[in-house]
Amino acid sequence: MIIDYKINHESHNIILSDKIKNNIVNQVEHVNSDKKILLSYDDKIDQSIINLIRKELKLIGVKLILVKISGNKKNKNSKILFKIIDILISNQFTKNSILISCGGGVVGDLSNLAASLYLRGMIYFHVPSTMTAIIDSCIGGKTAINHRNIINSIGTYYHPKSVMIFKEIIDNLPDREYFAGIPEIVKCGLIKKSNILKFLSNYHEDIKKRNFKIIKKLISETLKTKIHFFINDINEKNYRLNLNFGHTFAHAIEMATDDNFKKDYLRHGEAVGIGIMCEIYYSHKGKSELLEETENILKIYNLPTKIFNTSKNIDFAKIQNNIYQGIFLDKKKINKHPRYISLKKKYKPQINEIENLDLLNHTIKFFLN
């Protein structure tokens, strides 16, 4: 399956395939490159997959250099970014060289940013290796690093020439990584009319078993929804902001839990699921049928619907305050109040400001435990 789309008259594609063999090679041979390739990959990926990619590329006589990166959120920083750029410089890569990243959101964001900055832009391909990356961050062109504890505070917009999604990688995902991608799919199902929500409910057993025929359709529908929102608003001035549904709260929740507990206490997708529920709750000033429907879908996939499942040794007042403060650091904020995506009716997202601070605090408190 191939999804083609254009940005500023330039062609891009997404390939969904049950095998790695031949697909990456075909993409490399279809671009005008000098056959120098840097492959950046997440150290959590099964080494057999990296070996397969390396073997495939070596067969066509490329000069291949590998760099292994830990995909932890703490590594989404300038030090790792310049490590990639230094490798490109020291090996005399050109604008016609290729950077291929194989990883999740951290490795993808770092590599994409490096590709956009090096010589003001080189050829970039992406092979997403987490479910959240597969159904969200792999397209749209957002690149970023975190700086001074602010998520995605430094970045550009730079689009992969090709994104390649493979069954072999999905099959090798740990269960938690796999299911953590579901909330981003739920998000797309809520903000644009489609069959996504019914699909998630009706085919949940096939999705849990990773039936690629079913998953491929779900991924395709989700990515087409994302393209719909960003294709005419690349720089996120208005319409594309709807894709941030759930993220104003989610990023603040991530920052607060990372600061007060172990890193990656919540996966990004897990935080997005809770963030979606927070923004529905705030939109409706309390519980609603839409909130209940969303909660039921998340529970089907055993995803968290509260930030904590225990009250033991947790300073709730401190966490609540940290989340509150984090919401005011959100990058969408342009005036006095932070912005969020309101969803009073399914498929009707609206960009609004969080002005009711009492309701904000009540919302955070409701979803703590």
Side-chain angles (χ1 to χ4, degrees), residues 144-197:
I145 56 172
N146 303 332
H147 187 61
R148 295 198 174 186
N149 202 35
I150 300 175
I151 292 175
N152 299 330
S153 55
I154 299 173
T156 61
Y157 292 93
Y158 196 73
H159 301 268
K161 182 70 176 171
S162 180
V163 169
M164 290 162 273
I165 297 167
F166 298 121
K167 179 181 184 294
E168 289 135 301
I169 288 178
I170 292 174
D171 286 345
N172 275 282
L173 289 174
D175 283 346
R176 189 177 180 191
E177 289 292 347
Y178 175 71
F179 290 111
I182 298 294
E184 293 281 8
I185 300 175
V186 174
K187 174 194 76 178
C188 287
L190 286 167
I191 62 176
K192 183 179 181 294
K193 192 171 184 178
S194 67
N195 291 318
I196 289 174
L197 297 180

Side-chain angles (χ1 to χ4, degrees), residues 273-286:
I274 298 168
I276 287 169
M277 294 185 67
C278 288
E279 295 188 18
I280 292 173
Y281 188 92
Y282 185 90
S283 301
H284 290 260
K285 298 182 175 62

Side-chain angles (χ1 to χ4, degrees), residues 286-313:
K287 294 181 180 181
S288 64
E289 289 184 10
L290 188 56
L291 181 69
E292 184 178 346
E293 179 183 358
T294 305
E295 182 178 14
N296 288 338
I297 292 174
L298 294 175
K299 284 183 174 179
I300 287 173
Y301 296 95
N302 297 314
L303 289 159
T305 55
K306 299 278 187 175
I307 299 169
F308 300 107
N309 58 13
T310 179
S311 58
K312 187 178 180 180
N313 299 323

Side-chain angles (χ1 to χ4, degrees), residues 22-60:
N22 296 330
N23 278 293
I24 295 178
V25 166
N26 286 342
Q27 292 305 301
V28 169
E29 292 190 320
H30 274 90
V31 296
N32 181 24
S33 78
D34 58 17
K35 297 292 180 71
K36 281 186 178 180
I37 297 176
L38 177 64
L39 173 62
S40 63
Y41 67 95
D42 193 313
D43 64 356
K44 294 185 180 70
I45 296 172
D46 190 307
Q47 191 61 42
S48 65
I49 289 173
I50 301 304
N51 290 339
L52 176 58
I53 294 172
R54 177 164 54 184
K55 181 181 178 181
E56 285 284 296
L57 291 172
K58 284 289 187 179
L59 287 174
I60 58 170

Side-chain angles (χ1 to χ4, degrees), residues 42 70-73 75-76 101-113 124 126-134 136-138 142-146 152 177 268:
D42 193 313
S70 174
N72 293 330
K73 293 175 195 173
N75 286 334
K76 195 171 162 181
S101 61
C102 186
V106 172
V107 173
D109 275 11
L110 281 164
S111 303
N112 201 355
L113 181 54
Y124 176 61
H126 184 40
V127 181
S129 71
T130 66
M131 200 62 181
T132 304
I134 285 167
D136 183 54
S137 66
C138 69
K142 283 186 179 181
T143 82
I145 56 172
N146 303 332
N152 299 330
E177 289 292 347
H268 173 69

